[in-house]
Amino acid sequence: MDSVNYSDMELSREIALGNREAFSAYIEQYKRLVSHIVFRMVDNNADREDLCQDIFLKAYKNCGNFQGRSKMSTWLGSIAYNTCINYLKKMKTPLFDDMTSEDVSSDDYLIDLNTPERDAEKRDLKDYTEKLLECLPAQQRLIITLYHNDDLNYREIGELMELPEGTVKSYLFRARAKLKKRLDSVNEKEEILK
Amino acid sequence: MSKMTDNDIQEFLDGDSSKKDGRNIINANDPETQESIQQYSELYSALDNEIPWSLDSSFAARVLDALPAEMPFWERIFSSIWTLAIGGGTLFMAMIIYYVDFSKIASYLEGVDLIKLPTVELTQAVNTYNSVAQTVSPVMMGAIVLLLLFLLDKFILREKLHKA
């Protein structure tokens, strides 16, 4: 499909008028961000695509309300974030702050990483990352992904998640420190096992 | 001499230049700090290159399929009470222009001495208006109705139905 370049306001106006071509371009432009948010918030793979679809349908319906005060990415991101929170509440999944990961032992990761299939590549940090991220509360996982993969800054992440910039920064730093600590712990145990 | 804390290192690696003071730069030479910076750098690189789950290329098509079908123009028009108001109002105006003889009204107003107008010029103007209005008004009113309906559809109905 030919891509049409629209500004955020033009795009929202066109979509509000029912322009499907503009909506298709919109989906292509923002599906990466939406999928990242849903992936980080929702563990159930079967529900993820339905949620993404719901998010875009909500955006389609409400595009006329976009005022251009924030970037389209943060506007859509906050729809995605709130949709995921509602889903988690509906599924009675404990929300972020209840999910403390401090008590998760680094042995959990070590055991998995020592399976024969992964043995050859266990030293590759990239392979650890996904597993390590799982130990973080969803909110911190999401902040890490938005910052490192979607290049959003503290202010944009704060707008999206309705958190003060300082809180975003503090969560991000705390999450990375936690990841590093776990990596250190895994490395130490590997040394002992040698 | 105090070492760089985790926060200092993260700010350093995030490129937060406002936080990079002399202490940080000097202490980055400390072996323990160097090791920490190295570990954080590796972690940053892994996080930057981590590929989260993504949607496939046919996702947009599936979302478009899930949208309700768009109503045709005339269905949208006839689904609104506004159409009746515009149509009725315009028809009423058209009938007034077409059937009312304004020259009689002008003569009457002159007779009751309510307004003082140059009689000859007024009569000529009214007669010209009557003949033009009777010829042009049906076409003109039709065009006005269509224009109003188009504007109604573009600025009100499509958005309203889109939200519904």
Side-chain angles (χ1 to χ4, degrees):
Chain A
M1 185 181 290
D2 292 336
S3 63
V4 184
N5 287 323
Y6 294 103
S7 72
D8 283 354
M9 280 308 289
E10 282 170 347
L11 201 54
S12 64
R13 183 73 202 154
E14 286 298 317
I15 294 169
L17 292 174
N19 182 338
R20 285 169 184 242
E21 193 195 343
F23 188 51
S24 177
Y26 179 81
I27 296 171
E28 289 302 330
Q29 195 172 337
Y30 293 109
K31 73 178 185 185
R32 182 185 142 95
L33 173 71
V34 168
S35 67
H36 286 178
I37 294 171
V38 171
F39 177 74
R40 286 295 172 227
M41 302 280 292
V42 176
D43 289 330
N44 186 349
N45 207 22
D47 290 339
R48 282 175 179 161
E49 181 165 331
D50 287 345
L51 273 170
C52 290
Q53 208 171 87
D54 274 359
I55 290 160
F56 278 109
L57 291 177
K58 276 184 193 171
Y60 179 77
K61 206 169 165 182
N62 294 299
C63 247
N65 299 336
F66 177 72
Q67 304 288 317
R69 288 193 205 111
S70 58
K71 280 166 75 176
M72 179 59 90
S73 53
T74 46
W75 182 82
L76 178 63
S78 69
I79 292 179
Y81 178 68
N82 289 319
T83 304
C84 290
I85 287 184
N86 290 337
Y87 167 86
L88 293 175
K89 281 182 185 165
K90 200 170 132 194
M91 303 305 283
K92 299 195 177 0
T93 306
L95 288 175
F96 348 98
D97 294 333
D98 306 332
M99 294 166 62
T100 53
S101 54
E102 300 298 336
D103 52 341
V104 181
S105 160
S106 57
D107 285 345
D108 299 345
Y109 309 103
L110 194 62
I111 291 162
D112 189 44
L113 294 167
N114 277 317
T115 56
E117 295 80 18
R118 308 226 20 204
D119 196 48
E121 49 184 354
K122 67 185 176 185
R123 295 195 179 283
D124 187 351
L125 184 58
K126 280 181 202 167
D127 294 331
Y128 294 178
T129 316
E130 187 55 51
K131 192 76 187 162
L132 284 170
L133 280 168
E134 281 172 22
C135 75
L136 296 173
Q139 208 170 17
Q140 292 183 9
R141 280 202 309 255
L142 178 59
I143 291 175
I144 283 201
T145 298
L146 293 176
Y147 187 85
H148 284 278
N149 294 113
D150 296 294
D151 295 328
L152 266 61
N153 58 34
Y154 301 142
R155 186 181 53 77
E156 289 164 344
I157 297 173
E159 272 177 32
L160 190 155
M161 297 174 74
E162 291 172 14
L163 290 173
E165 265 184 70
T167 309
V168 172
K169 188 175 175 181
S170 147
Y171 280 175
L172 178 66
F173 279 35
R174 213 183 300 167
R176 286 190 300 217
K178 217 182 280 179
L179 290 177
K180 182 181 162 284
K181 198 174 153 192
R182 287 188 189 286
L183 277 172
D184 290 347
S185 170
V186 169
N187 290 337
E188 274 169 27
K189 292 199 176 179
E190 277 186 351
E191 289 297 319
I192 294 166
L193 284 175
K194 272 183 188 172
Chain B
M1 190 165 65
S2 62
K3 291 171 189 160
M4 277 177 92
T5 63
D6 271 8
N7 278 6
D8 290 336
I9 294 170
Q10 290 191 50
E11 271 167 0
F12 179 77
L13 292 173
D14 278 338
D16 190 346
S17 56
S18 64
K19 304 283 179 186
K20 283 185 209 162
D21 55 21
R23 182 175 65 88
N24 289 353
I25 292 162
I26 292 163
N27 287 339
N29 294 322
D30 167 69
E32 207 174 316
T33 305
Q34 282 287 355
E35 195 189 330
S36 248
I37 290 176
Q38 177 63 26
Q39 285 168 338
Y40 266 115
S41 299
E42 285 170 8
L43 177 65
Y44 272 47
S45 160
L47 292 174
D48 288 341
N49 295 313
E50 211 255 324
I51 303 165
W53 173 75
S54 59
L55 292 155
D56 61 58
S57 54
S58 58
F59 175 74
R62 287 198 296 280
V63 177
L64 291 178
D65 286 345
L67 292 178
E70 198 180 3
M71 250 191 228
F73 175 76
W74 286 110
E75 253 182 71
R76 286 199 297 270
I77 289 297
F78 287 118
S79 71
S80 170
I81 190 84
W82 283 91
T83 309
L84 194 67
I86 290 175
T90 317
L91 189 67
F92 181 69
M93 290 292 293
M95 284 171 71
I96 289 176
I97 293 168
Y98 193 76
Y99 289 112
V100 173
D101 187 350
F102 288 96
S103 57
K104 284 183 182 168
I105 295 175
S107 309
Y108 170 76
L109 291 175
E110 276 175 36
V112 296
D113 208 21
L114 280 177
I115 48 173
K116 293 280 179 201
L117 290 169
T119 316
V120 180
E121 286 85 345
L122 178 69
T123 310
Q124 275 176 354
V126 168
N127 285 339
T128 310
Y129 172 79
N130 272 342
S131 62
V132 171
Q134 292 203 344
T135 316
V136 176
S137 70
V139 178
M140 192 175 70
M141 284 300 165
I144 289 173
V145 168
L146 281 177
L147 178 69
L148 288 175
L149 291 180
F150 172 77
L151 295 174
L152 171 74
D153 181 60
K154 185 166 172 61
F155 294 108
I156 299 175
L157 291 182
R158 286 178 77 172
E159 203 161 335
K160 210 171 150 187
L161 289 170
H162 177 88
K163 280 187 180 176

